[in-house]
Amino acid sequence: MANIFNFSAGPAVLPKEVLKQAADEMLDYKGSGMSVMELSHRGKEFTQIIEQAEANLREILAIPANYHVLFLQGGASLQFAMIPMNLMVKNKKADYVHTGEWSKKAISEAKRFGTVNVVASSEKDNFTYIPELNPAKFSKDADYFYIVTNNTIYGTEYKEIPQTGDVPLIADMSSNILSAPIDVSKFGLIFAGAQKNIGPAGMAIVIIRADLVGKAADTVPSLMNYKIHVENKSLFNTPPCYTIYIAGLVFEWIKKQGGLAAMEKRNREKAEILYDYLDRSSLFRSPVKPECRSLMNIPFVTGNEELDNKFIAEASKRGLKTLKGHRTVGGMRASIYNAMPKEGVEALVQFMKEFEKSNKK
Ligand SMILES: *Cc1c(COP(=O)(O)O)cnc(C)c1O
């Protein structure tokens, strides 16, 4: 088998141990004679899978009892619409912080349902930092306040969670959920697409405070109403069973690694290896302001597109895969989620050093 490191932003690398276990259980899940894909979503095996997945997620994130956990289809993007449909209801108004492509999409969906107040933006500097927030600009009567905690494309991350008082804070954590401990009680709703730090694509996990459930108008379709999913424990219709199963294995893997404190320590070490090198390199540099740098997604450039393409091609030959940056940023991007081992980052930096030597500017 080819020994590679996959730096894709998503769908992204999964822990080898998890894939191995899934392979071992593929033809016969715990003596059932069936694969997980073939199990009834109402049967006892799958009931155990989804309940255990939720219990493990609650344990690793220390989710308080007054929050519901939902496993929903439609990826993170459906949440861009579900959030305003369910929550932009009282004053039909919400505050958004604009930090990249994902906040842009969320803003454009929310505008279909009410007034969006963009309280801060780093767009004029190509989203190379998280903008400073001025609470005087926050709407006191907003139905919620929306942020993207980690900007997958631009490689920025909040180091401090905004204080929004009584206005519920909503966070898209698609690319940094489970990368470090968080205080769930600071948020009204947290959501994340699965394909970065959780499991296969096509699912979002939603963690919603109980008092925010049941606000949607009757015109909101059942499948887009949080209340329906809460009442049916994510089984209103057939859920993404296999994705939930793999997510459950990932949660168990995280527990075995020592939980989120251990994940954070490892993620910091990994990111430091790459940032340290980038800050010393005379060929590569990080476009992101040091105080806003993401632990998960690390864009870097040489400033010369031809050289960038040469680097990406040669890196791929060395087994360092999917390093091409997003089309709006160019250059390279290394996504180093939980499942990326430290050896992967070390191999990348080693290759970057060699490339720098033979391609002096
Ligand atoms: C990947 C990503 C999304 C979109 O996820 P889909 O599952 O493709 O809808 C949304 N927000 C962030 C921050 C992401 O990284």
Side-chain angles (χ1 to χ4, degrees):
M1 200 175 78
N3 197 12
I4 63 106
F5 292 109
N6 176 15
F7 294 94
S8 170
V13 57
L14 285 167
K16 280 276 178 294
E17 296 93 317
V18 164
L19 296 176
K20 179 89 184 24
Q21 186 178 342
D24 288 345
E25 292 178 337
M26 179 59 80
L27 295 181
D28 181 15
Y29 179 72
K30 296 198 170 158
S32 66
M34 291 176 251
S35 77
V36 171
M37 279 175 259
E38 301 165 297
L39 296 171
S40 162
H41 62 295
R42 314 249 178 231
K44 75 172 188 331
E45 289 94 352
F46 187 74
T47 302
Q48 161 85 29
I49 287 171
I50 192 169
E51 285 179 354
Q52 194 59 53
E54 178 176 339
N56 282 335
L57 182 65
R58 284 187 176 276
E59 184 185 329
I60 53 188
L61 270 175
I63 300 174
N66 63 325
Y67 284 75
H68 298 288
V69 173
L70 302 173
F71 299 95
L72 304 181
Q73 297 176 63
S77 297
L78 185 59
Q79 295 309 310
F80 300 163
M82 269 180 81
I83 287 161
M85 281 173 119
N86 283 266
L87 300 176
M88 209 189 235
V89 286
K90 190 161 173 252
N91 297 320
K92 298 205 177 344
K93 188 183 202 181
D95 285 354
Y96 277 69
V97 182
H98 187 23
T99 51
E101 294 298 310
W102 296 118
S103 62
K104 183 173 159 194
K105 289 188 172 159
I107 288 166
S108 88
E109 287 294 273
K111 279 182 175 166
R112 300 173 195 275
F113 302 97
T115 308
V116 171
N117 175 30
V118 176
V119 293
S121 166
S122 47
E123 187 169 19
K124 69 171 172 30
D125 296 306
N126 205 27
F127 303 113
T128 47
Y129 54 87
I130 301 289
E132 189 119 11
L133 299 181
N134 175 5
K137 288 195 174 166
F138 298 3
S139 316
K140 298 257 172 322
D141 57 347
D143 290 326
Y144 60 85
F145 189 103
Y146 184 104
I147 60 171
V148 182
T149 50
N150 184 77
N151 295 280
T152 325
I153 293 169
Y154 298 95
T156 62
E157 186 170 22
Y158 284 77
K159 302 298 169 186
E160 221 175 291
I161 296 304
Q163 305 266 347
T164 58
D166 290 337
V167 176
L169 181 60
I170 311 284
D172 178 353
M173 293 194 186
S174 293
S175 50
N176 70 340
I177 193 163
L178 306 178
S179 64
I182 49 162
D183 181 353
V184 173
S185 72
K186 286 190 174 154
F187 300 88
L189 184 153
I190 292 167
F191 72 99
Q195 70 276 27
K196 277 102 189 205
N197 234 353
I198 296 172
M203 180 172 84
I205 287 184
V206 173
I207 301 166
I208 180 170
R209 209 172 62 208
D211 63 288
L212 297 176
V213 175
K215 292 177 178 290
D218 285 344
T219 48
V220 170
S222 307
L223 260 176
M224 289 167 203
N225 191 329
Y226 291 127
K227 185 160 179 269
I228 298 281
H229 292 293
V230 166
E231 285 170 354
N232 291 279
K233 296 179 180 298
S234 305
L235 295 166
F236 175 67
N237 68 332
T238 318
C241 299
Y242 199 77
T243 296
I244 293 169
Y245 159 71
I246 298 285
L249 296 184
V250 169
F251 302 154
E252 267 167 31
W253 177 82
I254 290 173
K255 274 172 65 175
K256 272 191 222 133
Q257 308 302 303
L260 295 187
M263 290 315 324
E264 178 178 19
K265 182 164 176 282
R266 208 156 89 182
N267 287 331
R268 284 193 184 283
E269 281 169 14
K270 279 154 44 185
E272 218 172 277
I273 294 171
L274 186 45
Y275 285 125
D276 273 0
Y277 168 67
L278 285 172
D279 288 342
R280 284 184 287 111
S281 171
S282 57
L283 181 64
F284 300 101
R285 64 177 186 85
S286 157
V288 177
K289 269 196 184 168
E291 61 275 22
C292 302
R293 289 174 175 178
S294 167
L295 295 185
M296 296 283 100
N297 310 97
I298 307 188
F300 54 96
V301 296
T302 64
N304 173 337
E305 202 182 321
E306 230 170 279
L307 207 51
D308 288 348
N309 289 336
K310 184 177 172 202
F311 174 81
I312 293 160
E314 288 184 15
S316 178
K317 279 191 204 135
R318 286 275 290 259
L320 305 165
K321 300 289 184 185
T322 346
L323 280 163
K324 194 171 167 52
H326 191 269
R327 58 187 187 278
T328 56
V329 183
M332 284 69 71
R333 171 177 49 170
S335 293
I336 54 172
Y337 298 116
N338 285 349
M340 172 60 67
K342 189 171 159 187
E343 295 74 48
V345 182
E346 286 168 345
L348 172 62
V349 169
Q350 179 56 38
F351 176 66
M352 288 168 79
K353 285 179 181 166
E354 288 170 29
F355 188 88
E356 178 171 347
K357 249 194 204 141
S358 46
N359 292 275
K360 282 224 163 34
K361 275 203 266 199

